[in-house]
Amino acid sequence: EELEDISPTDLKYLMVPYMLAEVVAATRDMEKRLESLRQALVFWRAFAADCQRLRIGHQDDYVAIDREQEPTDPASKREEKIARYKRCKELDEKVVYLFSKKREDLGDEYLWGVGSSFDEDMERDLILMLLRRAVASVPENITSAQQEMPLLEMMMARGGPGAEPVEVHEVREKPYMVRIQDRSELQRLYREMVFRCPHPLATMSIEEAADLEIQEMHQKEAERMVREAEERARDADRWWDGDRYGAKEDWDDEQRLYKD
């Protein structure tokens, strides 16, 4: 049966698998959610197969539905999402317009049927726009469900929601052992242990240590001189001609007040 042979009265029933998928995927019972998502995937794919057979929707959406995994190239993924967003926005605007025309004619936008100005062709266009909009949303729904299912499987394997986290026992490795078969090799190791220096050896010479202390002393002296210069600059800002900054102005103000 071709798309042109389906009447608008029957065409809207193509939305049934999609609506079932949306209802099943909306469950919030974490014990049943994994199985619900599996059922939703079946409904979404069945809906997409029916629409693809009747050539409803955009071909890029069906390519995204049929592929096994998301594209790894960020640029192509971004371009795909932008193109799908533009298609969805255009479809949403058309759906809103047709629903407003139905409301003006029939008084209820959700009342299926035709009226004086809302004819059968407009009813058919409205249903097709809804179907195309649903097809465009299926790739995102499938991707989201496939990303969530491994997490739910891990949760169920752990004992379900509310189960205590499994304690991971650290496996301790056995101490490293060297087995020496040669007697001469064992004697050599003993000699190295006996004549080994009993204290840690110095990592630098006395001359290098003295140079390091002198450098540290020069650095501290330079820092001290900088601090003193900053303090002298701050003190200079607080005094003027041997007087505290602002004292001369205060005295002039008092003299003017007495004269008045």
Side-chain angles (χ1 to χ4, degrees):
E1 189 176 14
E2 299 295 332
L3 180 61
E4 292 77 10
D5 300 331
I6 304 176
S7 65
T9 305
D10 299 330
L11 189 61
K12 60 178 175 290
Y13 291 109
L14 288 174
M15 289 286 295
V16 172
Y18 178 80
M19 299 304 297
L20 288 174
E22 293 294 309
V23 172
V24 172
T27 181
R28 291 294 177 264
D29 189 349
M30 300 306 294
E31 293 184 354
K32 301 179 181 179
R33 183 161 178 78
L34 178 59
E35 185 61 29
S36 298
L37 289 180
R38 289 171 179 166
Q39 295 177 2
L41 287 175
V42 175
F43 288 134
W44 278 320
R45 294 189 184 278
F47 167 74
D50 291 338
C51 293
Q52 187 176 16
R53 177 176 55 84
L54 296 172
R55 298 179 182 178
I56 301 173
H58 201 277
Q59 184 61 30
D60 291 345
D61 295 328
Y62 295 114
V63 173
I65 293 171
D66 293 336
R67 67 187 171 207
E68 295 295 331
Q69 58 184 359
E70 286 286 302
T72 57
D73 184 15
S76 60
K77 185 187 298 185
R78 181 174 178 273
E79 292 176 359
E80 178 182 328
K81 289 187 176 182
I82 291 175
R84 184 177 299 131
Y85 171 78
K86 291 180 179 179
R87 291 198 303 271
C88 291
K89 184 177 180 182
E90 183 180 357
L91 291 170
D92 289 338
E93 292 175 354
K94 292 180 179 179
V95 168
V96 170
Y97 170 75
L98 291 173
F99 269 130
S100 64
K101 297 295 291 184
K102 178 186 278 288
R103 183 172 59 252
E104 293 175 1
D105 190 10
L106 302 177
D108 187 356
E109 59 187 63
Y110 301 114
L111 180 63
W112 294 107
V114 298
S116 57
S117 61
F118 195 84
D119 56 11
E120 185 175 342
D121 292 337
M122 297 180 71
E123 179 85 357
R124 187 182 189 86
D125 290 340
L126 175 58
I127 297 173
L128 289 175
M129 293 300 151
L130 291 173
L131 289 170
R132 290 167 184 158
R133 181 63 177 86
V135 170
S137 66
V138 169
E140 293 290 340
N141 295 340
I142 291 178
T143 301
S144 177
Q146 289 176 342
Q147 292 175 352
E148 185 179 357
M149 286 173 62
L151 302 178
L152 294 173
E153 291 174 353
M154 293 174 57
M155 180 189 69
M156 299 305 295
R158 198 176 61 231
E164 295 293 333
V166 179
E167 295 184 2
V168 179
H169 299 284
E170 183 180 358
V171 180
R172 295 185 178 181
E173 297 181 357
K174 294 182 179 180
Y176 181 72
M177 299 178 63
V178 179
R179 297 185 181 275
I180 301 176
Q181 304 294 335
D182 189 2
R183 183 181 179 86
S184 60
E185 181 69 16
L186 181 61
Q187 292 177 351
R188 185 184 64 80
L189 291 175
Y190 279 144
R191 284 196 300 270
E192 291 180 356
M193 294 175 63
V194 170
F195 295 104
R196 181 181 300 172
C197 182
H199 57 81
L201 297 177
T203 58
M204 64 176 65
S205 63
I206 298 177
E207 292 79 6
E208 292 175 344
D211 292 338
L212 182 60
E213 291 182 0
I214 292 173
Q215 292 177 3
E216 293 178 353
M217 182 181 65
H218 287 330
Q219 183 178 359
K220 292 180 180 179
E221 182 67 18
E223 292 175 355
R224 184 183 63 81
M225 294 177 64
V226 170
R227 287 196 301 270
E228 291 179 354
E230 292 177 351
E231 291 177 358
R232 287 195 297 270
R234 286 194 295 269
D235 291 339
D237 291 339
R238 291 195 298 267
W239 296 86
W240 180 75
D241 283 346
D243 207 353
R244 182 177 58 82
Y245 183 78
K248 184 176 183 300
E249 288 77 4
D250 294 342
W251 186 82
D252 293 338
D253 293 339
E254 291 179 1
Q255 294 298 320
R256 286 195 297 271
L257 180 62
Y258 290 144
K259 291 179 180 180
D260 293 340

